[in-house]
PDB file of all heavy atoms in Angstrom:
ATOM      1  N   ARG A  94     162.755  50.471 180.111  1.00  0.00           N
ATOM      2  CA  ARG A  94     162.484  51.490 178.951  1.00  0.00           C
ATOM      3  C   ARG A  94     163.674  51.418 177.942  1.00  0.00           C
ATOM      4  O   ARG A  94     163.452  51.503 176.689  1.00  0.00           O
ATOM      5  CB  ARG A  94     162.290  52.896 179.618  1.00  0.00           C
ATOM      6  CG  ARG A  94     162.116  53.982 178.436  1.00  0.00           C
ATOM      7  CD  ARG A  94     162.050  55.383 179.044  1.00  0.00           C
ATOM      8  NE  ARG A  94     163.347  55.892 179.443  1.00  0.00           N
ATOM      9  CZ  ARG A  94     164.200  56.352 178.534  1.00  0.00           C
ATOM     10  NH1 ARG A  94     163.946  56.303 177.278  1.00  0.00           N
ATOM     11  NH2 ARG A  94     165.411  56.797 178.886  1.00  0.00           N
ATOM     12  N   ARG A  97     163.247  48.569 175.631  1.00  0.00           N
ATOM     13  CA  ARG A  97     162.055  48.646 174.754  1.00  0.00           C
ATOM     14  C   ARG A  97     162.482  49.311 173.444  1.00  0.00           C
ATOM     15  O   ARG A  97     163.212  50.459 173.562  1.00  0.00           O
ATOM     16  CB  ARG A  97     160.959  49.428 175.305  1.00  0.00           C
ATOM     17  CG  ARG A  97     160.135  48.660 176.398  1.00  0.00           C
ATOM     18  CD  ARG A  97     158.796  49.110 176.487  1.00  0.00           C
ATOM     19  NE  ARG A  97     158.687  50.534 177.099  1.00  0.00           N
ATOM     20  CZ  ARG A  97     158.418  50.560 178.533  1.00  0.00           C
ATOM     21  NH1 ARG A  97     158.290  49.576 179.237  1.00  0.00           N
ATOM     22  NH2 ARG A  97     158.441  51.819 178.978  1.00  0.00           N
ATOM     23  N   PHE A 105     151.174  46.060 166.901  1.00  0.00           N
ATOM     24  CA  PHE A 105     149.829  45.852 167.424  1.00  0.00           C
ATOM     25  C   PHE A 105     148.792  45.532 166.388  1.00  0.00           C
ATOM     26  O   PHE A 105     149.033  45.637 165.221  1.00  0.00           O
ATOM     27  CB  PHE A 105     149.469  47.036 168.223  1.00  0.00           C
ATOM     28  CG  PHE A 105     150.446  47.441 169.365  1.00  0.00           C
ATOM     29  CD1 PHE A 105     151.390  48.314 169.146  1.00  0.00           C
ATOM     30  CD2 PHE A 105     150.279  46.833 170.475  1.00  0.00           C
ATOM     31  CE1 PHE A 105     152.291  48.715 170.168  1.00  0.00           C
ATOM     32  CE2 PHE A 105     151.259  47.133 171.678  1.00  0.00           C
ATOM     33  CZ  PHE A 105     152.166  48.056 171.389  1.00  0.00           C
ATOM     34  N   SER A 110     144.742  52.860 165.061  1.00  0.00           N
ATOM     35  CA  SER A 110     144.701  53.570 166.369  1.00  0.00           C
ATOM     36  C   SER A 110     146.141  53.460 167.051  1.00  0.00           C
ATOM     37  O   SER A 110     146.308  54.119 167.918  1.00  0.00           O
ATOM     38  CB  SER A 110     143.604  52.920 167.216  1.00  0.00           C
ATOM     39  OG  SER A 110     144.001  51.565 167.424  1.00  0.00           O
ATOM     40  N   SER A 111     146.904  52.665 166.583  1.00  0.00           N
ATOM     41  CA  SER A 111     148.226  52.489 167.166  1.00  0.00           C
ATOM     42  C   SER A 111     149.249  53.499 166.843  1.00  0.00           C
ATOM     43  O   SER A 111     150.350  53.542 167.334  1.00  0.00           O
ATOM     44  CB  SER A 111     148.862  51.179 166.951  1.00  0.00           C
ATOM     45  OG  SER A 111     147.923  50.111 167.529  1.00  0.00           O
ATOM     46  N   HIS A 113     150.090  57.538 166.106  1.00  0.00           N
ATOM     47  CA  HIS A 113     149.514  58.970 166.474  1.00  0.00           C
ATOM     48  C   HIS A 113     148.954  59.635 165.382  1.00  0.00           C
ATOM     49  O   HIS A 113     149.618  59.775 164.393  1.00  0.00           O
ATOM     50  CB  HIS A 113     150.674  59.814 167.166  1.00  0.00           C
ATOM     51  CG  HIS A 113     150.075  60.761 168.157  1.00  0.00           C
ATOM     52  ND1 HIS A 113     149.202  61.841 167.675  1.00  0.00           N
ATOM     53  CD2 HIS A 113     150.153  60.984 169.393  1.00  0.00           C
ATOM     54  CE1 HIS A 113     148.947  62.659 168.662  1.00  0.00           C
ATOM     55  NE2 HIS A 113     149.489  62.072 169.818  1.00  0.00           N
ATOM     56  N   TYR A 116     150.867  63.083 164.008  1.00  0.00           N
ATOM     57  CA  TYR A 116     152.092  63.182 163.584  1.00  0.00           C
ATOM     58  C   TYR A 116     152.443  62.327 162.349  1.00  0.00           C
ATOM     59  O   TYR A 116     151.719  61.411 162.137  1.00  0.00           O
ATOM     60  CB  TYR A 116     153.265  62.674 164.680  1.00  0.00           C
ATOM     61  CG  TYR A 116     153.272  63.547 165.961  1.00  0.00           C
ATOM     62  CD1 TYR A 116     152.658  63.015 167.116  1.00  0.00           C
ATOM     63  CD2 TYR A 116     153.751  64.804 165.890  1.00  0.00           C
ATOM     64  CE1 TYR A 116     152.632  63.790 168.242  1.00  0.00           C
ATOM     65  CE2 TYR A 116     153.746  65.514 167.050  1.00  0.00           C
ATOM     66  CZ  TYR A 116     153.259  64.979 168.193  1.00  0.00           C
ATOM     67  OH  TYR A 116     153.237  65.819 169.412  1.00  0.00           O
ATOM     68  N   ASN A 120     157.919  61.215 161.126  1.00  0.00           N
ATOM     69  CA  ASN A 120     158.154  61.698 162.477  1.00  0.00           C
ATOM     70  C   ASN A 120     158.147  60.577 163.442  1.00  0.00           C
ATOM     71  O   ASN A 120     159.065  60.563 164.350  1.00  0.00           O
ATOM     72  CB  ASN A 120     157.037  62.736 162.727  1.00  0.00           C
ATOM     73  CG  ASN A 120     157.270  63.546 164.065  1.00  0.00           C
ATOM     74  OD1 ASN A 120     157.697  62.900 164.996  1.00  0.00           O
ATOM     75  ND2 ASN A 120     156.945  64.800 164.132  1.00  0.00           N
ATOM     76  N   GLN A 121     157.218  59.797 163.336  1.00  0.00           N
ATOM     77  CA  GLN A 121     157.076  58.674 164.372  1.00  0.00           C
ATOM     78  C   GLN A 121     158.264  57.584 164.305  1.00  0.00           C
ATOM     79  O   GLN A 121     158.681  57.111 165.326  1.00  0.00           O
ATOM     80  CB  GLN A 121     155.681  58.028 164.331  1.00  0.00           C
ATOM     81  CG  GLN A 121     154.516  58.951 164.612  1.00  0.00           C
ATOM     82  CD  GLN A 121     153.250  58.358 164.587  1.00  0.00           C
ATOM     83  OE1 GLN A 121     152.965  57.417 165.314  1.00  0.00           O
ATOM     84  NE2 GLN A 121     152.243  58.920 163.923  1.00  0.00           N
ATOM     85  N   GLU A 124     161.441  59.322 165.498  1.00  0.00           N
ATOM     86  CA  GLU A 124     161.418  59.422 166.959  1.00  0.00           C
ATOM     87  C   GLU A 124     161.861  58.084 167.629  1.00  0.00           C
ATOM     88  O   GLU A 124     162.796  58.144 168.495  1.00  0.00           O
ATOM     89  CB  GLU A 124     160.053  59.768 167.426  1.00  0.00           C
ATOM     90  CG  GLU A 124     159.909  59.882 168.908  1.00  0.00           C
ATOM     91  CD  GLU A 124     158.464  60.276 169.437  1.00  0.00           C
ATOM     92  OE1 GLU A 124     157.563  59.615 168.960  1.00  0.00           O
ATOM     93  OE2 GLU A 124     158.288  61.145 170.299  1.00  0.00           O
ATOM     94  N   HIS A 129     167.151  55.631 170.720  1.00  0.00           N
ATOM     95  CA  HIS A 129     168.282  54.756 171.069  1.00  0.00           C
ATOM     96  C   HIS A 129     169.615  55.003 170.312  1.00  0.00           C
ATOM     97  O   HIS A 129     170.610  54.359 170.395  1.00  0.00           O
ATOM     98  CB  HIS A 129     167.894  53.263 170.778  1.00  0.00           C
ATOM     99  CG  HIS A 129     166.654  52.857 171.642  1.00  0.00           C
ATOM    100  ND1 HIS A 129     166.734  52.816 173.006  1.00  0.00           N
ATOM    101  CD2 HIS A 129     165.342  52.637 171.293  1.00  0.00           C
ATOM    102  CE1 HIS A 129     165.560  52.468 173.460  1.00  0.00           C
ATOM    103  NE2 HIS A 129     164.723  52.339 172.389  1.00  0.00           N
ATOM    104  N   TYR A 160     150.492  61.487 156.781  1.00  0.00           N
ATOM    105  CA  TYR A 160     149.895  61.153 158.130  1.00  0.00           C
ATOM    106  C   TYR A 160     149.338  59.670 158.112  1.00  0.00           C
ATOM    107  O   TYR A 160     148.891  59.300 157.015  1.00  0.00           O
ATOM    108  CB  TYR A 160     148.870  62.098 158.376  1.00  0.00           C
ATOM    109  CG  TYR A 160     149.431  63.443 158.842  1.00  0.00           C
ATOM    110  CD1 TYR A 160     149.637  64.365 157.876  1.00  0.00           C
ATOM    111  CD2 TYR A 160     149.886  63.675 160.075  1.00  0.00           C
ATOM    112  CE1 TYR A 160     150.289  65.660 158.215  1.00  0.00           C
ATOM    113  CE2 TYR A 160     150.465  64.850 160.430  1.00  0.00           C
ATOM    114  CZ  TYR A 160     150.656  65.934 159.403  1.00  0.00           C
ATOM    115  OH  TYR A 160     151.196  66.981 159.710  1.00  0.00           O
ATOM    116  N   HIS A 162     146.435  58.500 158.511  1.00  0.00           N
ATOM    117  CA  HIS A 162     145.145  58.410 157.999  1.00  0.00           C
ATOM    118  C   HIS A 162     145.298  58.375 156.436  1.00  0.00           C
ATOM    119  O   HIS A 162     144.230  58.057 155.828  1.00  0.00           O
ATOM    120  CB  HIS A 162     144.113  59.356 158.428  1.00  0.00           C
ATOM    121  CG  HIS A 162     144.401  60.758 157.977  1.00  0.00           C
ATOM    122  ND1 HIS A 162     145.320  61.714 158.596  1.00  0.00           N
ATOM    123  CD2 HIS A 162     143.928  61.421 156.834  1.00  0.00           C
ATOM    124  CE1 HIS A 162     145.276  62.803 157.842  1.00  0.00           C
ATOM    125  NE2 HIS A 162     144.457  62.647 156.839  1.00  0.00           N
ATOM    126  N   GLN A 163     146.421  58.822 155.926  1.00  0.00           N
ATOM    127  CA  GLN A 163     146.406  58.795 154.491  1.00  0.00           C
ATOM    128  C   GLN A 163     147.013  57.487 153.951  1.00  0.00           C
ATOM    129  O   GLN A 163     147.138  57.364 152.701  1.00  0.00           O
ATOM    130  CB  GLN A 163     147.430  59.995 154.038  1.00  0.00           C
ATOM    131  CG  GLN A 163     146.918  61.303 154.384  1.00  0.00           C
ATOM    132  CD  GLN A 163     147.881  62.492 154.190  1.00  0.00           C
ATOM    133  OE1 GLN A 163     149.029  62.438 154.717  1.00  0.00           O
ATOM    134  NE2 GLN A 163     147.460  63.503 153.526  1.00  0.00           N
TER     135      GLN A 163
ATOM    136  N   ASP C 234     145.607  53.646 172.005  1.00  0.00           N
ATOM    137  CA  ASP C 234     146.616  52.798 171.647  1.00  0.00           C
ATOM    138  C   ASP C 234     147.864  53.355 171.273  1.00  0.00           C
ATOM    139  O   ASP C 234     148.937  52.779 171.466  1.00  0.00           O
ATOM    140  CB  ASP C 234     146.066  52.020 170.368  1.00  0.00           C
ATOM    141  CG  ASP C 234     144.942  50.949 170.745  1.00  0.00           C
ATOM    142  OD1 ASP C 234     144.737  50.766 171.935  1.00  0.00           O
ATOM    143  OD2 ASP C 234     144.329  50.469 169.736  1.00  0.00           O
ATOM    144  N   TYR C 235     147.782  54.591 170.724  1.00  0.00           N
ATOM    145  CA  TYR C 235     149.129  55.178 170.275  1.00  0.00           C
ATOM    146  C   TYR C 235     150.004  55.602 171.383  1.00  0.00           C
ATOM    147  O   TYR C 235     151.243  55.694 171.290  1.00  0.00           O
ATOM    148  CB  TYR C 235     148.846  56.364 169.321  1.00  0.00           C
ATOM    149  CG  TYR C 235     148.020  57.488 169.889  1.00  0.00           C
ATOM    150  CD1 TYR C 235     148.441  58.512 170.706  1.00  0.00           C
ATOM    151  CD2 TYR C 235     146.697  57.545 169.377  1.00  0.00           C
ATOM    152  CE1 TYR C 235     147.703  59.547 171.125  1.00  0.00           C
ATOM    153  CE2 TYR C 235     145.946  58.651 169.760  1.00  0.00           C
ATOM    154  CZ  TYR C 235     146.378  59.665 170.669  1.00  0.00           C
ATOM    155  OH  TYR C 235     145.703  60.653 171.009  1.00  0.00           O
ATOM    156  N   ARG C 237     150.375  53.578 174.143  1.00  0.00           N
ATOM    157  CA  ARG C 237     150.953  52.282 174.236  1.00  0.00           C
ATOM    158  C   ARG C 237     152.119  52.163 173.348  1.00  0.00           C
ATOM    159  O   ARG C 237     153.307  51.725 173.613  1.00  0.00           O
ATOM    160  CB  ARG C 237     150.000  51.219 174.012  1.00  0.00           C
ATOM    161  CG  ARG C 237     150.491  49.822 174.423  1.00  0.00           C
ATOM    162  CD  ARG C 237     149.353  48.804 174.096  1.00  0.00           C
ATOM    163  NE  ARG C 237     148.992  48.834 172.764  1.00  0.00           N
ATOM    164  CZ  ARG C 237     147.934  48.123 172.202  1.00  0.00           C
ATOM    165  NH1 ARG C 237     147.240  47.427 172.982  1.00  0.00           N
ATOM    166  NH2 ARG C 237     147.612  48.253 171.024  1.00  0.00           N
ATOM    167  N   THR C 238     151.954  52.500 171.995  1.00  0.00           N
ATOM    168  CA  THR C 238     152.972  52.431 171.017  1.00  0.00           C
ATOM    169  C   THR C 238     154.173  53.351 171.429  1.00  0.00           C
ATOM    170  O   THR C 238     155.373  52.881 171.303  1.00  0.00           O
ATOM    171  CB  THR C 238     152.423  52.956 169.670  1.00  0.00           C
ATOM    172  OG1 THR C 238     151.331  52.157 169.399  1.00  0.00           O
ATOM    173  CG2 THR C 238     153.517  52.561 168.590  1.00  0.00           C
ATOM    174  N   ARG C 240     155.166  54.130 174.262  1.00  0.00           N
ATOM    175  CA  ARG C 240     155.879  53.604 175.408  1.00  0.00           C
ATOM    176  C   ARG C 240     156.777  52.417 174.897  1.00  0.00           C
ATOM    177  O   ARG C 240     157.777  52.281 175.256  1.00  0.00           O
ATOM    178  CB  ARG C 240     154.967  53.133 176.528  1.00  0.00           C
ATOM    179  CG  ARG C 240     154.242  54.233 177.328  1.00  0.00           C
ATOM    180  CD  ARG C 240     153.741  53.683 178.614  1.00  0.00           C
ATOM    181  NE  ARG C 240     153.178  54.800 179.425  1.00  0.00           N
ATOM    182  CZ  ARG C 240     151.907  55.002 179.654  1.00  0.00           C
ATOM    183  NH1 ARG C 240     151.068  54.037 179.177  1.00  0.00           N
ATOM    184  NH2 ARG C 240     151.452  55.980 180.292  1.00  0.00           N
ATOM    185  N   LYS C 242     158.062  52.104 172.203  1.00  0.00           N
ATOM    186  CA  LYS C 242     159.282  52.493 171.567  1.00  0.00           C
ATOM    187  C   LYS C 242     160.413  52.744 172.456  1.00  0.00           C
ATOM    188  O   LYS C 242     161.577  52.891 172.045  1.00  0.00           O
ATOM    189  CB  LYS C 242     158.983  53.847 170.833  1.00  0.00           C
ATOM    190  CG  LYS C 242     158.251  53.921 169.609  1.00  0.00           C
ATOM    191  CD  LYS C 242     158.241  55.260 169.039  1.00  0.00           C
ATOM    192  CE  LYS C 242     157.033  55.731 168.429  1.00  0.00           C
ATOM    193  NZ  LYS C 242     157.058  57.098 167.858  1.00  0.00           N
ATOM    194  N   GLY C 243     160.093  52.889 173.754  1.00  0.00           N
ATOM    195  CA  GLY C 243     161.117  53.256 174.764  1.00  0.00           C
ATOM    196  C   GLY C 243     161.219  54.689 175.027  1.00  0.00           C
ATOM    197  O   GLY C 243     162.202  55.239 175.612  1.00  0.00           O
ATOM    198  N   LEU C 244     160.132  55.454 174.680  1.00  0.00           N
ATOM    199  CA  LEU C 244     160.136  56.942 174.946  1.00  0.00           C
ATOM    200  C   LEU C 244     160.156  57.113 176.420  1.00  0.00           C
ATOM    201  O   LEU C 244     159.486  56.408 177.210  1.00  0.00           O
ATOM    202  CB  LEU C 244     159.000  57.565 174.336  1.00  0.00           C
ATOM    203  CG  LEU C 244     159.063  58.098 172.945  1.00  0.00           C
ATOM    204  CD1 LEU C 244     157.710  58.877 172.694  1.00  0.00           C
ATOM    205  CD2 LEU C 244     160.117  59.082 172.795  1.00  0.00           C
ATOM    206  N   LYS C 252     154.436  65.074 174.467  1.00  0.00           N
ATOM    207  CA  LYS C 252     154.333  65.049 173.023  1.00  0.00           C
ATOM    208  C   LYS C 252     153.136  64.214 172.523  1.00  0.00           C
ATOM    209  O   LYS C 252     152.598  64.627 171.515  1.00  0.00           O
ATOM    210  CB  LYS C 252     155.684  64.513 172.392  1.00  0.00           C
ATOM    211  CG  LYS C 252     155.729  64.556 171.003  1.00  0.00           C
ATOM    212  CD  LYS C 252     156.958  64.142 170.351  1.00  0.00           C
ATOM    213  CE  LYS C 252     156.773  64.025 168.772  1.00  0.00           C
ATOM    214  NZ  LYS C 252     157.850  63.419 168.072  1.00  0.00           N
ATOM    215  N   HIS C 253     152.901  63.111 173.044  1.00  0.00           N
ATOM    216  CA  HIS C 253     151.923  62.233 172.572  1.00  0.00           C
ATOM    217  C   HIS C 253     150.478  62.470 173.233  1.00  0.00           C
ATOM    218  O   HIS C 253     149.589  62.567 172.586  1.00  0.00           O
ATOM    219  CB  HIS C 253     152.281  60.809 172.612  1.00  0.00           C
ATOM    220  CG  HIS C 253     153.440  60.470 171.746  1.00  0.00           C
ATOM    221  ND1 HIS C 253     153.274  59.692 170.506  1.00  0.00           N
ATOM    222  CD2 HIS C 253     154.755  60.949 171.712  1.00  0.00           C
ATOM    223  CE1 HIS C 253     154.466  59.695 169.926  1.00  0.00           C
ATOM    224  NE2 HIS C 253     155.412  60.296 170.591  1.00  0.00           N
ATOM    225  N   PRO C 332     145.883  67.297 161.228  1.00  0.00           N
ATOM    226  CA  PRO C 332     145.970  67.112 159.847  1.00  0.00           C
ATOM    227  C   PRO C 332     144.862  66.523 159.122  1.00  0.00           C
ATOM    228  O   PRO C 332     144.758  66.500 158.071  1.00  0.00           O
ATOM    229  CB  PRO C 332     147.345  66.237 159.740  1.00  0.00           C
ATOM    230  CG  PRO C 332     147.395  65.647 161.124  1.00  0.00           C
ATOM    231  CD  PRO C 332     146.810  66.571 162.115  1.00  0.00           C
ATOM    232  N   ARG C 333     143.992  65.620 159.964  1.00  0.00           N
ATOM    233  CA  ARG C 333     142.880  65.062 159.302  1.00  0.00           C
ATOM    234  C   ARG C 333     141.855  66.009 158.851  1.00  0.00           C
ATOM    235  O   ARG C 333     141.263  65.721 157.884  1.00  0.00           O
ATOM    236  CB  ARG C 333     142.271  64.121 160.322  1.00  0.00           C
ATOM    237  CG  ARG C 333     142.973  62.788 160.587  1.00  0.00           C
ATOM    238  CD  ARG C 333     142.603  62.148 161.791  1.00  0.00           C
ATOM    239  NE  ARG C 333     142.765  62.990 162.969  1.00  0.00           N
ATOM    240  CZ  ARG C 333     142.475  62.428 164.223  1.00  0.00           C
ATOM    241  NH1 ARG C 333     142.080  61.320 164.346  1.00  0.00           N
ATOM    242  NH2 ARG C 333     142.706  63.258 165.247  1.00  0.00           N
ATOM    243  N   THR C 336     144.216  67.598 155.473  1.00  0.00           N
ATOM    244  CA  THR C 336     144.440  66.765 154.285  1.00  0.00           C
ATOM    245  C   THR C 336     143.414  65.654 154.276  1.00  0.00           C
ATOM    246  O   THR C 336     143.477  64.772 155.100  1.00  0.00           O
ATOM    247  CB  THR C 336     145.789  66.116 154.441  1.00  0.00           C
ATOM    248  OG1 THR C 336     145.947  65.581 155.703  1.00  0.00           O
ATOM    249  CG2 THR C 336     146.888  67.165 154.222  1.00  0.00           C
TER     250      THR C 336
END
Side-chain angles (χ1 to χ4, degrees):
Chain A
R94 179 183 76 76
R97 285 206 286 264
F105 301 97
S110 66
S111 298
H113 203 296
Y116 294 109
N120 184 323
Q121 299 184 52
E124 183 182 43
H129 303 290
Y160 288 92
H162 73 273
Q163 294 170 310
Chain C
D234 287 352
Y235 57 76
R237 187 181 58 187
T238 309
R240 291 201 176 110
K242 287 191 215 178
L244 269 188
K252 184 173 169 192
H253 292 253
R333 286 166 297 186
T336 51

